[in-house]
Amino acid sequence: MCGAVSKGAAGFLRAKGVPAWAIGQPGHCAFIWKHPGGHWKIGNNISGWNWSTGKSQIPWNGPVQLIPAYNAFIHHGLAEESFLMTVLSDCSPRPVQRELLLKEACKMNPFNYPAWSRYLSMKAKGINDRQKLTLLKELAQAMPHEHNLLHHAAVNILKIRESKVNPYELYACFLDPDCSPAAEELFTRLCWNKLVAACPEIGKIIKYREGFIGKHLSVWARKGNNASWTPKMKRYSAGMMEGAITALEKREQTRTYYVATYRRLLEIWNDKKLKHQGEILINKISGNKVSPLRQTR
C-alpha cells in the first residue's frame, strides 16, 4: 500500500513538472519531492532522513540522506561562485592550486559537499586515522547540523577506522550542538551497535529496531529492570556509557540524558564497585555538582 501511494504521488508530481521519486525506509516506501520554495522534502514519511535509503538524484553523488545539506547549499549565498571554484579546481594541473581553490569554494559556501569531499580526499592521503578525525572535526565545524553527511564523509571519504581512534569521540562528531533528536538517535545507534558487537548478550534485553526514532536508552533501562545481568554485561555496558558520557563534552542535553540513564542502570545492577566508579566519573564531569549516586532514587 505505501509503495503504491508513494510511487503514485511521485508520478503525479512529475506529471505536474515537480521533481520527485520514491525512496525506502525500514518496512516502508516514502518519496522525495521538490517544494515550490526550492528545498526537498519527504512525503509519506515515517522514519525521517536518518533511515531513508536510495541513491540521490540531485547533482551530488551519494545517498538520499545528503539532500538536507544540498538544500542548505543551494539556499546559501555564493552557491554559484562556490560551485565555479569547484569546477576550476578540477581543471587545475597543480595539486597546490587545486587545494587552494577547494578551500576557497568551502569558505564561500560551507555546504559545498563536492568541494569538501575533494578537499578531504586530498588531505587524507598518507595520514593516520587520528589526523583524519581532525579533518572530520573541521568539516563538522562547517556543517554542524548535517549529521548524516558527516557520517557519510567519515565512512566513505575519510574512511576512518574505529579501531584506530576513540570511537565515542568519532560518534560525537555527528551530534550537533543543539543535540537534535535525529542526530542524537544516530549517536545512540552507533554506541549501541558497538556495545552489542562486543557483548552480544546485551541484545537479548532489547533490539535496536530499524526505523526507531525515540529514546532507545530509556527503553533499555526500563526493560533492563527485569533482565538477568551477568558481570560481563554490566562491565561492557558501563564501559559504553562512560565512553559516551566522556565524549559528550559541550553536548549537555545528550550528556544529561546519558548520565540519567547510567544512574538508573547502576541502581538496577546494585554493584558497589561499578557504582563507585560511576560516581567518580559523573562527579568529575559535572564539577561535583551531581549528587552522589547512592542518594539517587
Side-chain angles (χ1 to χ4, degrees):
M1 191 67 177
C2 59
V5 169
S6 293
K7 291 176 183 177
F12 296 149
L13 286 165
R14 288 198 300 272
K16 290 288 188 179
V18 179
W21 73 91
I23 61 169
Q25 290 181 349
H28 180 64
C29 180
F31 67 97
I32 294 292
W33 64 287
K34 191 173 184 180
H35 189 273
H39 56 279
W40 291 80
K41 300 185 68 174
I42 305 180
N44 196 19
N45 176 44
I46 291 180
S47 305
W49 291 109
N50 276 18
W51 296 97
S52 295
T53 58
K55 187 172 177 61
S56 174
Q57 296 181 27
I58 59 176
W60 296 357
N61 291 323
V64 70
Q65 293 172 334
L66 298 185
I67 287 182
Y70 180 72
N71 285 338
F73 169 73
I74 60 177
H75 289 94
H76 189 279
L78 303 178
E80 291 185 5
E81 292 85 348
S82 179
F83 177 72
L84 176 60
M85 286 291 182
T86 309
V87 173
L88 290 174
S89 72
D90 290 334
C91 301
S92 177
R94 297 177 58 190
V96 174
Q97 288 179 339
R98 287 201 298 272
E99 182 178 334
L100 288 173
L101 287 166
L102 290 171
K103 287 183 71 173
E104 187 62 25
C106 296
K107 182 178 178 181
M108 284 183 172
N109 188 326
F111 300 98
N112 187 342
Y113 185 58
W116 274 108
S117 62
R118 289 171 173 81
Y119 171 74
L120 294 173
S121 295
M122 290 180 65
K123 300 295 287 184
K125 291 179 180 178
I127 64 175
N128 61 40
D129 292 87
R130 283 294 310 172
Q131 292 168 315
K132 291 179 181 179
L133 183 57
T134 299
L135 288 175
L136 180 65
K137 291 179 179 180
E138 183 181 346
L139 176 61
Q141 287 184 335
M143 288 187 270
H145 301 285
E146 304 297 339
H147 55 280
N148 283 314
L149 181 146
L150 294 169
H151 184 241
H152 180 268
V155 174
N156 298 283
I157 306 300
L158 293 170
K159 300 179 180 178
I160 300 173
R161 295 170 292 180
E162 292 186 13
S163 61
K164 301 296 183 180
V165 298
N166 179 341
Y168 303 107
E169 184 182 357
L170 171 63
Y171 305 156
C173 291
F174 312 137
L175 185 58
D176 57 57
D178 300 331
C179 298
S180 65
E184 186 176 87
E185 186 279 318
L186 175 60
F187 176 81
T188 296
R189 188 187 345 147
L190 292 170
C191 291
W192 181 260
N193 288 344
K194 178 173 175 55
L195 172 60
V196 174
C199 184
E201 297 93 326
I202 295 292
K204 296 177 182 178
I205 298 177
I206 182 176
K207 305 290 184 183
Y208 202 113
R209 181 168 50 87
E210 276 196 312
F212 184 76
I213 56 176
K215 294 280 191 177
H216 177 78
L217 296 187
S218 300
V219 181
W220 178 37
R222 186 171 69 247
K223 293 196 172 186
N225 195 46
N226 300 315
S228 297
W229 292 87
T230 66
K232 178 185 176 182
M233 291 165 66
K234 295 177 184 178
R235 186 173 68 254
Y236 275 89
S237 296
M240 183 274 276
M241 294 301 294
E242 292 187 4
I245 290 169
T246 302
L248 287 170
E249 186 179 5
K250 298 181 181 178
R251 300 293 186 270
E252 286 304 317
Q253 183 175 319
T254 300
R255 176 181 266 188
T256 299
Y257 167 50
Y258 269 70
V259 167
T261 303
Y262 191 27
R263 284 172 167 268
R264 180 61 186 139
L265 289 172
L266 289 166
E267 290 176 355
I268 292 170
W269 298 337
N270 195 26
D271 184 301
K272 290 183 178 179
K273 182 179 178 180
L274 290 178
K275 206 167 194 179
H276 177 67
Q277 175 182 311
E279 181 176 330
I280 291 174
L281 171 70
I282 293 174
N283 285 332
K284 179 181 178 181
I285 62 102
S286 63
N288 294 317
K289 295 178 182 178
V290 180
S291 59
L293 296 173
R294 58 179 174 273
Q295 297 178 7
T296 305
R297 292 290 183 269

